[in-house]
Amino acid sequence: MSGGVTLDNQVGFLDKLGRLVLRYSLVAVIGFVGAMKFTAYEAEAISGLVSNSPLMSWAYNVLDVRQLGMAIGCVELLVAVLIAIHPWAPKLAALGSLLAVGMFLTTLSFLITTPGVVEESLGFPALSVMPGQFLAKDLVLLGAALWTLAESLTCAKRAP
């Protein structure tokens, strides 16, 4: 066989590209959403989700809406940076991915605790645009975080 382009080469390239895009798309989404938490707009937007959550509502006893938004934003920005440094520090990237898994499991719990997730005029399983469909995207982000966790753990195991 010649040294030309083969299906195996193309699949290998797509695999590497997919890994790169998946990891850094996850970083970009978490980073962007985290940065937005520093705005009053985003802090107010999540207040209904947080206040209806048994896991998170207690935080409003300690912090106001803006303070909690900024605290969550700091955590999300840290998670994004940790996942991004995978090539240099896979153990830290694994920690970031683990934190992202916890973050997405928490936000997915809002599907159960937040009123208005199901579009009442259509009934279950029709999700409302907000908050239902808005939260459902976190299923894909959870999958990406689990994959980056596995990849980082694999690389960390190989590292000296």
Side-chain angles (χ1 to χ4, degrees):
M1 194 137 149
S2 70
V5 177
T6 66
L7 181 58
D8 286 342
N9 290 351
Q10 291 171 342
V11 169
F13 170 77
L14 288 174
D15 181 60
K16 288 178 185 175
L17 180 61
R19 291 169 184 265
L20 185 72
V21 169
L22 185 61
R23 175 173 296 282
Y24 291 101
S25 294
L26 182 62
V27 168
V29 168
I30 294 172
F32 179 75
V33 170
M36 287 296 294
K37 295 289 190 303
F38 289 87
T39 67
Y41 170 81
E42 179 75 9
E44 289 294 331
I46 66 166
S47 65
L49 301 171
V50 173
S51 64
N52 284 294
S53 168
L55 296 173
M56 298 283 300
S57 61
W58 62 269
Y60 285 138
N61 294 328
V62 179
L63 302 170
D64 66 29
V65 169
R66 287 294 306 277
Q67 291 169 332
L68 183 60
M70 289 186 280
I72 293 170
C74 287
V75 170
E76 289 174 339
L77 289 173
L78 174 64
V79 167
V81 168
L82 289 172
I83 294 170
I85 64 172
H86 168 79
W88 305 280
K91 288 179 184 174
L92 289 174
L95 174 61
S97 294
L98 183 62
L99 291 170
V101 167
M103 180 175 69
F104 293 125
L105 287 173
T106 300
T107 59
L108 285 168
S109 75
F110 298 161
L111 285 168
I112 299 166
T113 62
T114 305
V117 168
V118 173
E119 176 50 50
E120 294 299 325
S121 67
L122 300 173
F124 182 81
L127 296 177
S128 61
V129 173
M130 180 63 180
Q133 293 175 31
F134 169 77
L135 294 170
K137 69 169 175 8
D138 284 3
L139 285 167
V140 175
L141 295 170
L142 173 62
L146 287 166
W147 179 83
T148 60
L149 174 59
E151 185 190 41
S152 293
L153 288 172
T154 299
C155 290
K157 191 168 68 171
R158 284 190 228 134

